[in-house]
Amino acid sequence: MDLNYIDYISISGRSWLHRSPAGFKILFLSAAVIILLSATSWRLPAIVTAAMIAIAVSARLPLKLVLTLSLYPVIFIVIFLFSVSGLTLSILATVSLRIISLTLAVVIFFLSTSFPAVFAVLGRILPDFLVTALFFTYRSIFLLSDGFADIYTALHLRGGTDFRRPVFTLSRLGMALGHFLAHIIAASQRMAENLKLRGFHNHIYYLGKRYE
Amino acid sequence: MNNKNDKIIVSLKCIRHAYTGGGSVSTGGLPFTITRGQRVAVLGPNGSGKSTLLRHILGLLKPTEGTVEVLGVNPASQYMKIRSRIGAVMQNTDEQLIGPTVLDDVAFAPLNFGRSASETYRKAIDILKRLNIYELKDRLPHYLSGGERRKVALAGALILEPDLLVMDEPLEGIDHASRREISNFLQKLHAETEVTMISTTHDMDIVSDLADCGYVMNQSGGLEIYGTIEELFFNHDLHSFNLAPPATVRIIKILQRHGLAIAPTLNAEVLSNRLLELLHSEIR
């Protein structure tokens, strides 16, 4: 799953869905979740799935990515298949469509809503510490993925990856991981210093468009 | 050296910092004293402790020996008292940018210090425009280029309208045009506000744009030479510190060795004018 690409689509998109207020989309998503969880037949989830696909197409979201991401929970459906006895086609269709349409709704939401916008809404309803933790998790993912990409590139360029020699490659990947760990520690120390210098006190502000 | 009657902003005396993992960095030699309105560069080879010196000033390190005083307090123990008066641009700007968007990041520190959101917004927009990065305001920090990140970090430091601006390699990774733009901006800012500036740099071509005087550190962290930037380049051999003076200085020194009486300058335009005058007088 390429988080950078998902993040990029959510920020760079200019469709009606991207422009819709994040608060409205969160309400819509919550309503979809409630409806889907209370659905007792396969028909309603099927209608929601079709509606979600139509929304994705009209918002010019990359359909292949949307569908691929939505199919991730299929693994859980397979486990479910093996664990339930007396399964009918109707129950299987209801459960599968409920899960897939729920995932579709979440995927479409994250592909059309930038994290700062999500965070601005969450900041109004969730406690500070939770929003701050969520924000730093998000920010750290990008800092760390960049750091790991650099280390992996260096490893690759310097002959540290040779998949015909798996033991050798694994040992070099282990070294890279150790180096990455040191990088994480140093980066987190620098971030903590910057937070101190910039007067951080467990609150992330989002100005948005309020003062324009 | 410094005029002792001026208000001292930063004062460091014989500091030594011991790292927990072993090893220590000492900043001995000359006393490091910066007075209000000075623009000072800290020069030295790699690993001489320039960044460590700045981290002491910012209160991020507590010296094992010696004293550090910034804006009248010990920054390691009383940083809260002075933090809203200090703007800092760190060497690695990746971890310095914290806000969700560029605008939020620039506004981050003033809002933390309790300044009003509307006033902060106005100032953030103003500083982004002055640094020519207004179009980045809604961008996410992790999608910025290295140079853009550095400019945003600088905007985040300047929005505080600080009494002291501390910059670790502020123009590193920035293209030539942007460098010129930022150094002109910093010069204008200094002329307008008399903000005290301390910066480190490897790039000898831009030192005179960033500072009026400087300290040269030796490999073991000692502050060995102090003087105006012209004095540093023309009266001392900086090669022994792994520092190469700018091209104008090298040209003047070569010409002087060949007996040409040419007055020292760091400005390439001034140097070419002086050379043209000499040429014309020879022709006549």
Side-chain angles (χ1 to χ4, degrees):
Chain A
M1 195 191 306
D2 189 348
L3 285 174
N4 275 298
Y5 185 50
I6 296 170
D7 194 54
Y8 177 75
I9 292 169
S10 71
I11 292 153
S12 60
R14 293 286 175 267
S15 73
W16 66 271
L17 193 59
H18 286 91
R19 290 195 308 269
S20 305
F24 170 75
K25 282 188 272 189
I26 288 175
L27 278 178
F28 188 76
L29 178 66
S30 311
V33 170
I34 293 166
I35 289 170
L36 287 166
L37 289 179
S38 57
T40 50
S41 84
W42 60 271
R43 287 182 187 83
L44 187 61
I47 293 167
V48 174
T49 304
M52 288 296 166
I53 293 172
I55 289 172
V57 171
S58 70
R60 295 191 298 276
L61 296 176
L63 202 58
K64 195 178 158 195
L65 178 72
V66 172
L67 294 176
T68 313
L69 290 173
S70 309
L71 290 177
Y72 266 76
V74 165
I75 185 83
F76 299 106
I77 297 171
V78 173
I79 294 168
F80 174 73
L81 259 175
F82 284 106
S83 61
V84 177
S85 58
L87 193 70
T88 64
L89 197 63
S90 167
I91 294 173
L92 176 66
T94 309
V95 171
S96 304
L97 284 168
R98 260 165 71 170
I99 294 172
I100 290 171
S101 54
L102 260 173
T103 322
L104 254 176
V106 173
V107 166
I108 290 170
F109 174 76
F110 280 108
L111 281 170
S112 63
T113 318
S114 69
F115 193 83
V118 176
F119 158 79
V121 176
L122 294 181
R124 280 180 232 143
I125 47 178
L126 293 178
D128 266 357
F129 78 92
L130 201 59
V131 180
T132 305
L134 281 172
F135 175 73
F136 278 115
T137 307
Y138 165 80
R139 187 83 180 88
S140 305
I141 285 170
F142 291 94
L143 281 176
L144 297 182
S145 71
D146 284 354
F148 190 73
D150 288 347
I151 290 170
Y152 183 78
T153 306
L155 187 74
H156 183 66
L157 292 174
R158 301 179 71 193
T161 51
D162 181 353
F163 292 101
R164 285 166 301 178
R165 296 157 67 198
V167 176
F168 167 82
T169 303
L170 271 175
S171 81
R172 293 298 179 272
L173 279 173
M175 282 168 71
L177 213 60
H179 186 62
F180 182 55
L181 196 68
H183 167 82
I184 292 172
I185 294 167
S188 51
Q189 194 180 342
R190 284 195 297 267
M191 189 178 250
E193 286 177 355
N194 279 306
L195 288 170
K196 180 188 169 190
L197 289 177
R198 303 186 72 191
F200 176 70
H201 52 261
N202 205 23
H203 186 84
I204 296 286
Y205 296 92
Y206 180 72
L207 286 171
K209 313 248 179 237
R210 268 177 293 164
Y211 299 96
E212 281 181 8
Chain B
M1 207 185 269
N2 300 327
N3 180 357
K4 298 289 179 194
N5 295 327
D6 289 342
K7 187 163 168 49
I8 291 172
I9 299 288
V10 177
S11 165
L12 273 86
K13 281 179 199 131
C14 305
I15 51 167
R16 189 175 81 85
H17 179 74
Y19 289 98
T20 38
S24 67
V25 177
S26 304
T27 309
L30 297 171
F32 185 86
T33 311
I34 313 283
T35 53
R36 187 177 297 282
Q38 267 195 308
R39 294 191 313 151
V40 178
V42 181
L43 314 173
N46 286 338
S48 57
K50 301 188 291 293
S51 296
T52 304
L53 180 83
L54 295 194
R55 285 155 64 82
H56 275 295
I57 293 170
L58 292 171
L60 297 172
L61 293 177
K62 194 174 178 183
T64 322
E65 286 168 24
T67 55
V68 182
E69 207 175 275
V70 177
L71 297 164
V73 303
N74 174 354
S77 57
Q78 293 166 291
Y79 192 74
M80 301 289 268
K81 283 187 182 169
I82 53 168
R83 62 185 185 176
S84 64
R85 296 171 64 194
I86 299 178
V89 180
M90 306 302 274
Q91 193 170 18
N92 195 333
T93 46
D94 272 5
E95 291 91 16
Q96 185 165 357
L97 306 186
I98 293 154
T101 64
V102 164
L103 176 70
D104 295 316
D105 185 78
V106 174
F108 185 74
L111 292 175
N112 284 336
F113 297 137
R115 299 189 190 168
S116 90
S118 57
E119 175 70 1
T120 299
Y121 176 83
R122 192 188 58 72
K123 281 187 177 168
I125 294 293
D126 180 53
I127 198 82
L128 288 171
K129 282 182 179 167
R130 288 182 74 185
L131 281 166
N132 254 337
I133 48 170
Y134 176 72
E135 71 282 0
L136 301 180
K137 85 177 169 70
D138 295 321
R139 297 263 301 272
L140 270 68
H142 50 263
Y143 289 118
L144 301 177
S145 70
E148 288 172 338
R149 282 180 203 184
R150 204 157 277 278
K151 286 185 192 174
V152 173
L154 183 61
L158 292 175
I159 193 175
L160 289 169
E161 295 169 345
D163 291 329
L164 172 64
L165 187 59
V166 178
M167 300 177 283
D168 200 354
E169 304 280 356
L171 302 180
E172 196 179 72
I174 294 182
D175 61 69
H176 179 75
S178 301
R179 256 183 186 189
R180 180 65 41 216
E181 208 177 331
I182 292 178
S183 60
N184 284 345
F185 173 79
L186 288 173
Q187 283 176 20
K188 200 173 159 205
L189 181 83
H190 181 257
E192 285 168 7
T193 63
E194 289 222 321
V195 57
T196 309
M197 294 181 186
I198 304 173
S199 49
T200 65
T201 181
H202 279 103
D203 191 344
M204 296 301 111
D205 288 320
I206 56 158
V207 178
S208 58
D209 293 332
L210 290 174
D212 304 310
C213 49
Y215 285 89
V216 180
M217 293 182 89
N218 59 30
Q219 190 64 60
S220 51
L223 291 161
E224 201 157 312
I225 311 172
Y226 172 84
T228 64
I229 300 300
E230 272 198 10
E231 283 168 1
L232 292 180
F233 287 139
F234 287 102
N235 302 349
H236 301 275
D237 178 20
L238 298 185
H239 286 100
S240 55
F241 299 93
N242 281 349
L243 300 172
T248 46
V249 176
R250 295 202 300 272
I251 292 167
I252 290 169
K253 282 189 171 178
I254 292 167
L255 293 173
Q256 284 175 342
R257 272 205 302 276
H258 285 84
L260 204 65
I262 188 148
T265 178
L266 294 167
N267 188 313
E269 210 169 318
V270 174
L271 172 64
S272 40
N273 284 339
R274 283 178 190 168
L275 285 172
L276 284 170
E277 274 171 30
L278 271 170
L279 265 171
H280 288 145
S281 63
E282 282 292 316
I283 292 166
R284 270 184 242 122

